Amino acid sequence: MLGAMEIFKYLPASKKAENSNCKACGCPTCMMFSLKLSKGQITIDKCPHTPLELVEKVSEAVKIQQKTVEFGGKKFGGEKVMFRHEKTFINPTGFFASIDVSEPDYLEKYIRIRNFEIEVIGRAFKFDGIYIKNSENLPIDNFISQVRNDGFIPLQESDLGLFQTFEITSIAETSKLIEKLTNVRYEAVVNRNETYSDPILTFVNAQNPLDICAIGSSLVCKYSSVIVFDCVDEAVVSSLVTLRLNIFTDPELPLKVDSKVYEFNNPNENSLVFLTTNFALTYFAVANELSQLKRSSYLVVTPSEGMSVLTAWSAEKITAQIASKIVRESKVLETIKNKKLIIPGYLADLQEELQEELPEWEVIIGTKEAYQIPAAVREYNW
Amino acid sequence: MLKEFALEIQYKVDDTYPNVLRDYWGNDIVSDFYSWFLKAQDVAQNIGVKYIALGFNIEDEAEIEDCAKVLSKIEKVAEIQLIIKGTANKNLDSALLPALISVLEKPQIIAPVQDDNDEVIVEAILASGVNHKAILRTPIDINLTKELNILSMDRGLKKENIIIDPDTGCIGYGIDYGYSIIERIKQAVLAGDETLNTPIVVFSGYESYKAKEAKSTDFSSSWGDNLTRSLAWEISTTTALLLAGADIAVSCHPDVPKKLMELFGGSN
């Protein structure tokens, strides 16, 4: 939508002309009308003095770019930009598995898909839904109910009218397809061309897992709102789920995580206690390691303005005072029997001072890199 | 520019070296850098890969002399363009890379040049009298990328000898930062920014194998089998970055460039 100032330029009060602030629209001033119009709180026809140019601009600006399709609470499409860095991508590409109900073993395939579940950075992922194929003349109402009850979206041929549909069978077709989808996206979000405003659904019928991986990765990055996979390989879907999570992350969100004590694998008074800074990538690297350990642990994350360990160290955003404060203030850490605090290897110089601040704890210099943690835990018997 | 592909091998391996890579190359081969290079060159030429990156993953300056010896031996039999890759430890590289540059006789590609050691390494390149290219690496920041390009050109490095490395991570480990930086760089170039108009390289293979998902066998069945998952991790990472606009992808498993050339077209 246009901004308030942009709208105001066209109204009488901006030129101090006749009819300035006439209140015919119900607002006390032209400026107030502009503000409300820009927020969608009033319609342009309430003002009898709008020039044609403004009316045209506003009706263009409210035209939808890409439609949103909603199934069972999940949204697909609705995108507004070509590049995620312009603002963000909004609705993660839907991953559907195709089940051909005319095949005798279709339930077996369904059960395998139903059981697929992975966890990435503490969030659980399953398929979004099932595309039910070849259901003509078959009694599938029970199957549809089961799919719904299992938490999946049942998609049928009759739903395809909501999308622009594409199909790809071989990896060699990928470039051409991506070019097409790029064009569709451009027409939708830049030209606001209604012909191209339906979200995009792509059938991936390739069978080779690595082909599916390359094609699927391309479609996640470049513009498919939904992907229907004919063939499912767990390893490939895992990597596509991870890529999707990254591409659809809002770039404007701060690169830091909350400063607090995080828990991994149901910790208790015998668990390990680690410490690091609140830069998102640092946290993810360490959290990934701790979540894979056989032992349970706590992770103390310091309020270091989203800086990595070394940056925080040089900027004095991680100090003995900052670290000891958060440890001392934690009620849950009070319960730890064998108080050992494992600090990042790059903060070795901090150990002495921190030890003084926390006499009830043994401050241990841990590994420099997160990936070294599991081996160190085995070797040093912390 | 058509996408170009590279394979990366390591000066030395230990038991943390991913099993799927060890299985591909062969246990005996990976313990001898020179033999490994010969095999890798063979594979590269068969697939159509354009470069081989030699990763000198040392920990100590004392190892530099041996690195230079084996590099000299390799260059004599190299028919393929080499990427001479240091440790990324700035201090160590400021000793390692000039030493390696000093034994090179043909134009190769030197990586990574970073802000703190750029003066030493760029000077070594210019002093060599050989027309080497440099991969300039900056930590996922478009302004730092520009800065280092401009600084290096001021020092005398020719623009056509610069390759940008935005230090991108793999999927699950921050690929989105690198992905968007690359898109922004390409947009800036289209809008007329000449200082950023150099090819972009990603070490997507090396980054992918840092991920537990690509290395470990310790995952539930939902994550699939180890080999497919490692390849998928590399392929997803590399495909995304190439689509963002990267021009050169350096991979670890040869099946990755082989597969990606079916999508992007080959390089020879």
Side-chain angles (χ1 to χ4, degrees):
Chain A
M1 195 17 153
L2 301 178
M5 288 316 293
E6 229 184 310
I7 295 168
F8 183 69
K9 273 187 336 208
Y10 290 93
L11 300 178
S14 72
K15 302 165 204 124
K16 301 203 194 327
E18 205 187 330
N19 297 315
S20 290
N21 306 318
C22 73
K23 300 188 185 29
C25 62
C27 299
T29 59
C30 292
M31 178 50 87
M32 187 54 91
F33 175 78
S34 305
L35 273 163
K36 285 199 163 183
L37 182 58
S38 77
K39 288 191 194 159
Q41 292 166 353
I42 199 169
T43 49
I44 194 168
D45 57 335
K46 291 276 188 288
C47 171
H49 308 295
T50 49
L52 185 63
E53 200 186 327
L54 180 64
V55 175
E56 280 173 358
K57 273 200 159 167
V58 167
S59 69
E60 184 64 28
V62 298
K63 255 165 93 180
I64 214 159
Q65 290 165 290
Q66 185 179 65
K67 294 197 190 118
T68 304
V69 162
E70 190 169 337
F71 290 101
K74 275 205 183 135
K75 296 187 182 170
F76 305 104
E79 299 298 337
K80 296 176 190 284
V81 295
M82 293 299 294
F83 300 104
R84 59 185 294 278
H85 63 255
E86 290 178 69
K87 180 79 182 147
T88 180
F89 287 167
I90 301 172
N91 293 314
T93 308
F95 289 167
F96 285 68
S98 169
I99 298 273
D100 184 340
V101 289
S102 69
E103 279 177 9
D105 61 346
Y106 79 87
L107 266 180
E108 230 178 273
K109 186 177 178 190
Y110 172 66
I111 288 170
R112 195 175 137 220
I113 287 163
R114 186 180 64 189
N115 292 340
F116 172 83
E117 180 172 337
I118 63 166
E119 199 179 286
V120 185
I121 312 174
R123 294 166 56 179
F125 289 94
K126 298 171 78 77
F127 271 92
D128 296 297
I130 303 293
Y131 176 70
I132 300 169
K133 224 168 87 164
N134 286 336
S135 59
E136 240 176 67
N137 303 324
L138 286 171
I140 57 156
D141 286 344
N142 282 340
F143 182 56
I144 295 181
S145 298
Q146 182 174 11
V147 166
R148 267 212 195 90
N149 286 336
D150 289 339
F152 299 109
I153 299 166
L155 201 65
Q156 297 178 77
E157 215 182 305
S158 48
D159 298 312
L160 294 181
L162 295 164
F163 298 92
Q164 300 176 71
T165 58
F166 295 85
E167 188 190 333
I168 178 168
T169 312
S170 96
I171 189 175
E173 303 162 33
T174 313
S175 274
K176 271 222 152 60
L177 175 61
I178 299 305
E179 257 180 64
K180 266 196 218 148
L181 299 193
T182 303
N183 190 49
V184 168
R185 175 74 149 239
Y186 186 83
E187 286 294 326
V189 313
V190 177
N191 290 341
R192 295 177 192 254
N193 186 334
E194 268 180 87
T195 314
Y196 295 95
S197 61
D198 288 337
I200 291 168
L201 183 149
T202 311
F203 288 99
V204 174
N205 294 329
Q207 300 293 311
N208 175 306
L210 301 188
D211 288 7
I212 298 169
C213 184
I215 295 169
S217 303
S218 305
L219 292 172
V220 166
C221 296
K222 299 286 174 183
Y223 308 136
S224 195
S225 321
V226 167
I227 300 175
V228 176
F229 295 93
D230 186 56
C231 170
V232 168
D233 179 296
E234 281 80 354
V236 169
V237 181
S238 307
S239 63
L240 291 178
V241 164
T242 308
L243 174 64
R244 178 181 67 176
L245 181 64
N246 291 150
I247 297 295
F248 285 83
T249 294
D250 184 342
E252 284 183 359
L253 285 183
L255 309 183
K256 55 186 184 188
V257 298
D258 291 338
S259 162
K260 61 180 204 194
V261 179
Y262 292 79
E263 303 189 358
F264 297 90
N265 304 329
N266 295 316
N268 52 41
E269 69 268 17
N270 295 314
S271 299
L272 296 167
V273 183
F274 291 85
L275 180 136
T276 195
T277 63
N278 68 337
F279 173 43
L281 293 183
T282 303
Y283 167 77
F284 290 147
V286 179
N288 262 341
E289 295 303 327
L290 298 188
S291 63
Q292 310 281 5
L293 286 179
K294 292 186 172 67
R295 290 186 64 177
S296 59
S297 58
Y298 292 99
L299 177 62
V300 180
V301 171
T302 60
S304 302
E305 296 192 19
M307 295 186 189
S308 65
V309 169
L310 280 175
T311 313
W313 172 239
S314 61
E316 292 187 352
K317 297 295 176 188
I318 177 97
T319 62
Q321 287 69 36
I322 292 172
S324 58
K325 181 165 190 280
I326 182 168
V327 171
R328 255 185 265 113
E329 284 176 353
S330 162
K331 284 206 162 44
V332 75
L333 291 183
E334 267 175 49
T335 67
I336 301 287
K337 276 206 191 123
N338 209 356
K339 287 186 166 61
K340 289 186 186 168
L341 180 67
I342 305 160
I343 64 173
Y346 282 117
L347 295 180
D349 287 349
L350 191 61
Q351 190 248 5
E352 223 180 282
E353 220 188 311
L354 185 55
Q355 184 63 83
E356 275 176 36
E357 294 273 343
L358 296 172
E360 339 76 64
W361 288 82
E362 183 191 342
V363 177
I364 298 177
I365 299 169
T367 63
K368 285 188 174 168
E369 302 290 337
Y371 72 82
Q372 296 164 323
I373 291 175
V377 168
R378 283 192 298 269
E379 194 178 339
Y380 297 120
N381 236 337
W382 283 326
Chain B
M1 181 183 152
L2 212 61
K3 305 299 184 189
E4 294 181 340
F5 295 91
L7 281 178
E8 181 168 344
I9 62 175
Q10 284 180 199
Y11 175 66
K12 54 185 195 182
V13 302
D14 60 17
D15 59 11
T16 64
Y17 189 61
N19 284 330
V20 300
L21 298 177
R22 197 182 279 272
D23 288 342
Y24 179 91
W25 294 110
N27 214 10
D28 293 334
I29 289 281
V30 303
S31 15
D32 179 60
F33 198 41
Y34 179 74
S35 309
W36 196 355
F37 170 77
L38 290 175
K39 182 161 186 189
Q41 174 161 253
D42 211 34
V43 169
Q45 286 168 330
N46 281 333
I47 301 175
V49 156
K50 192 165 174 183
Y51 313 89
I52 291 182
L54 305 174
F56 288 96
N57 56 332
I58 60 174
E59 270 116 27
D60 199 81
E61 290 197 18
E63 305 177 70
I64 293 179
E65 207 183 315
D66 284 341
C67 292
K69 283 204 187 106
V70 75
L71 174 58
S72 190
K73 204 172 156 197
I74 286 175
E75 202 195 21
K76 289 191 170 52
V77 294
E79 295 158 5
I80 195 169
Q81 177 86 80
L82 302 174
I83 298 174
I84 315 299
K85 188 183 177 213
T87 63
N89 173 318
K90 293 177 188 177
N91 278 336
L92 193 44
D93 284 351
S94 59
L96 170 66
L97 291 178
L100 297 180
I101 290 166
S102 70
V103 303
L104 293 171
E105 292 177 6
K106 296 180 280 192
Q108 309 293 4
I109 303 173
I110 315 298
V113 174
Q114 305 183 77
D115 72 327
D116 285 343
N117 61 19
D118 60 313
E119 189 170 356
V120 165
I121 302 171
V122 170
E123 273 180 20
I125 290 176
L126 296 172
S128 72
V130 185
N131 198 28
H132 297 305
K133 295 193 179 186
I135 290 177
L136 307 184
R137 176 183 293 182
T138 46
I140 322 183
D141 182 318
I142 200 173
N143 293 317
L144 294 180
T145 304
K146 269 186 88 141
E147 242 177 68
L148 190 54
N149 276 13
I150 294 171
L151 195 57
S152 304
M153 289 191 274
D154 283 349
R155 292 196 204 286
L157 194 60
K158 282 186 269 185
K159 185 150 155 239
E160 63 258 27
N161 285 342
I162 292 178
I163 298 169
I164 290 172
D165 175 0
D167 205 8
T168 53
C170 67
I171 56 172
Y173 295 85
I175 191 180
D176 42 314
Y177 302 119
Y179 182 91
S180 287
I181 289 273
I182 293 173
E183 288 200 314
R184 286 174 62 200
I185 292 174
K186 290 302 184 184
Q187 263 194 322
V189 169
L190 287 171
D193 188 335
E194 275 305 304
T195 56
L196 292 172
N197 192 7
T198 65
I200 296 178
V201 69
V202 290
F203 288 92
S204 46
Y206 181 78
E207 288 300 320
S208 295
Y209 286 98
K210 280 187 188 172
K212 251 187 128 63
E213 288 79 353
K215 272 197 295 224
S216 166
T217 47
D218 222 357
F219 279 84
S220 77
S221 61
S222 278
W223 285 86
D225 84 275
N226 194 22
L227 176 58
T228 313
R229 189 174 65 248
S230 303
L231 292 172
W233 214 258
E234 254 207 89
I235 288 176
S236 265
T237 298
T238 311
T239 305
L241 294 172
L242 288 172
L243 282 172
D247 303 291
I248 306 167
V250 185
S251 302
C252 288
H253 197 296
D255 284 352
V256 172
K258 198 164 161 204
K259 181 53 64 181
L260 290 180
M261 281 192 245
E262 294 178 37
L263 197 160
F264 290 101
S267 66
N268 264 299

